Amino acid sequence: MQLGIVGLGRMGGNIARRLTRAGHSCVVWDRNEAAVSDLAADGSTGAAGLEDLVGKLDAPRAVWVMLPAGAPTEQTVNALAAVMEPGDVIIDGGNSFYKDDIRRAASLREKGIVYVDVGTSGGVWGLERGYCMMIGGEKASVDRLDPIFAALAPGRGEIPATPGRESRDHRVEQGYLHTGPAGSGHFVKMIHNGIEYGMMQAYAEGFEILKRKDSTELPENERYSLDMADIAEVWRRGSVVSSWLLDLCAIALAKNETLSDFSGAVADSGEGRWTVMAAIEEAVSAEVLSAALYTRFRSRQDHTFGEKLLSAMRFQFGGHVEQPVTPVKEG
């Protein structure tokens, strides 16, 4: 199947590579010409711009936008809509706010263009592991694009089947789900990321308590000098708190147990805030997710070992590099 891809960063480029390895045809564009050249050398067809990309696709076209949420995605979707035709599909695979998806879908529908939102999880590991996808949009278009989603998904792997799922949609066990109408895909991904905040915060706080057990503020006979890397590793082996996030903790701690490469100023990319906003709108008590978000705000002023671990996890799964924090001026 043929797919256009706009945005060849940490995830967009690997999405193109995974699709071409599966036998699909990708036409790619990015402002970074070197990224386009790299993908062209790896089997994709490079484009000189959005209009050129659309011109190299056969109708009905499908273009996957993989850009930061907000203005970059908004501007690109609008620019594509100006050169695409009725029956074409624009896919937003980034982390857009789901209410923006609802608005875009309605606007594009007036032009006969279909909008599909794909909450995409997999980070920098997606090329080899595949991407878990939560897909919003009209069923007919999502079904038509199924070969693309099937190729990007991780597949069953070695995860045992869940008892009682025999009569349910088999695609879910492959790692992708049609969640419903436009916006629902990014809404589910938004809550996924909110939960992620809470899980990461739990690991960070636990390891912070372990790390401080050798504090001179404690009685000498109650102090332990504990090996953080070994604890993370043993917990990976059969513990009830084992997870991929713990795997990433173990990798980071084995590399540098003090995590001195990280400041501990933890960024948030929007989904955590939107999750808390949704909880307020729905009158849902979400203490853990809210506290995890507020802790990230506080981390930009006072950094702890636990927050260095949060930064390390973000770097491991998503390639998120810490950004300098600009002090807030008073007065």
Side-chain angles (χ1 to χ4, degrees):
M1 193 170 182
Q2 195 182 42
L3 181 72
I5 301 178
V6 178
L8 308 176
R10 290 189 299 264
M11 291 180 69
N14 281 343
I15 284 173
R17 290 184 178 92
R18 187 169 174 90
L19 288 173
T20 55
R21 290 180 185 181
H24 296 282
S25 174
C26 294
V27 181
V28 301
W29 182 74
D30 191 284
R31 291 180 184 273
N32 182 349
E33 294 181 0
V36 177
S37 298
D38 288 346
L39 266 295
D42 216 6
S44 294
T45 299
L50 294 180
E51 191 167 356
D52 184 42
L53 179 142
V54 170
K56 289 179 176 178
L57 295 170
D58 299 327
R61 304 166 187 85
V63 179
W64 184 302
V65 178
M66 201 66 180
L67 294 170
T73 295
E74 186 78 17
Q75 293 166 5
T76 301
V77 168
N78 291 338
L80 283 169
V83 294
M84 294 178 78
E85 300 176 345
D88 291 347
V89 179
I90 296 176
I91 305 164
D92 177 7
N95 282 324
S96 290
F97 185 41
Y98 77 99
K99 292 185 180 181
D100 289 337
D101 294 317
I102 295 170
R103 172 180 51 79
R104 289 181 195 140
S107 176
L108 292 174
R109 193 178 300 117
E110 295 177 358
K111 302 179 180 181
I113 297 172
V114 178
Y115 182 86
V116 173
D117 55 288
V118 181
T120 311
S121 181
V124 296
W125 300 74
L127 177 60
E128 302 302 330
R129 289 171 57 102
Y131 300 90
C132 174
M133 291 167 290
M134 296 135 269
I135 307 160
E138 62 177 42
K139 185 178 186 302
S141 295
V142 172
D143 287 348
R144 182 173 73 82
L145 294 165
D146 189 76
I148 294 294
F149 301 134
L152 290 174
R156 280 283 300 272
E158 298 179 357
I159 300 174
T162 300
R165 285 201 54 89
E166 293 78 12
S167 61
R168 290 179 173 269
D169 187 349
H170 72 279
R171 294 174 298 181
V172 177
E173 294 180 337
Q174 302 298 317
Y176 64 109
L177 168 68
H178 181 208
T179 53
S184 64
H186 277 150
F187 183 79
V188 174
K189 176 59 162 52
M190 178 184 84
I191 304 305
H192 164 283
N193 282 24
I195 293 170
E196 179 185 288
Y197 277 38
M199 292 174 66
M200 293 172 70
Q201 185 64 31
Y203 284 124
E205 292 177 8
F207 278 94
E208 177 79 19
I209 296 167
L210 292 168
K211 183 71 174 175
R212 288 178 180 250
K213 190 56 176 170
D214 64 354
S215 170
T216 55
E217 296 177 4
L218 295 173
E220 187 172 358
N221 67 338
E222 294 182 12
R223 298 178 206 160
Y224 306 131
S225 181
L226 300 169
D227 190 308
M228 300 296 102
D230 283 354
I231 291 171
E233 186 64 28
V234 77
W235 282 355
R236 293 180 62 215
R237 312 289 175 171
S239 163
V240 297
V241 299
S242 60
S243 72
W244 186 44
L245 287 173
L246 182 60
D247 294 346
L248 301 180
C249 290
I251 292 170
L253 290 166
K255 181 180 179 182
N256 179 356
E257 188 174 352
T258 66
L259 302 176
S260 58
D261 294 338
F262 300 93
S263 71
V266 187
D268 69 287
S269 54
E271 300 91 338
R273 300 186 190 207
W274 300 335
T275 298
V276 173
M277 288 165 52
I280 293 170
E281 290 176 355
E282 299 167 17
V284 173
S285 177
E287 295 97 332
V288 172
L289 308 191
S290 300
L293 173 65
Y294 297 149
T295 299
R296 291 195 178 196
F297 297 162
R298 201 264 313 135
S299 77
R300 297 163 205 171
Q301 299 171 341
D302 178 28
H303 319 316
T304 67
F305 177 81
E307 277 133 20
K308 291 183 179 182
L309 188 59
L310 282 176
S311 285
M313 280 187 271
R314 294 184 81 245
F315 177 75
Q316 286 291 336
F317 70 71
H320 300 291
V321 178
E322 288 182 336
Q323 299 298 317
V325 177
T326 302
V328 177
K329 295 182 180 180
E330 298 181 356

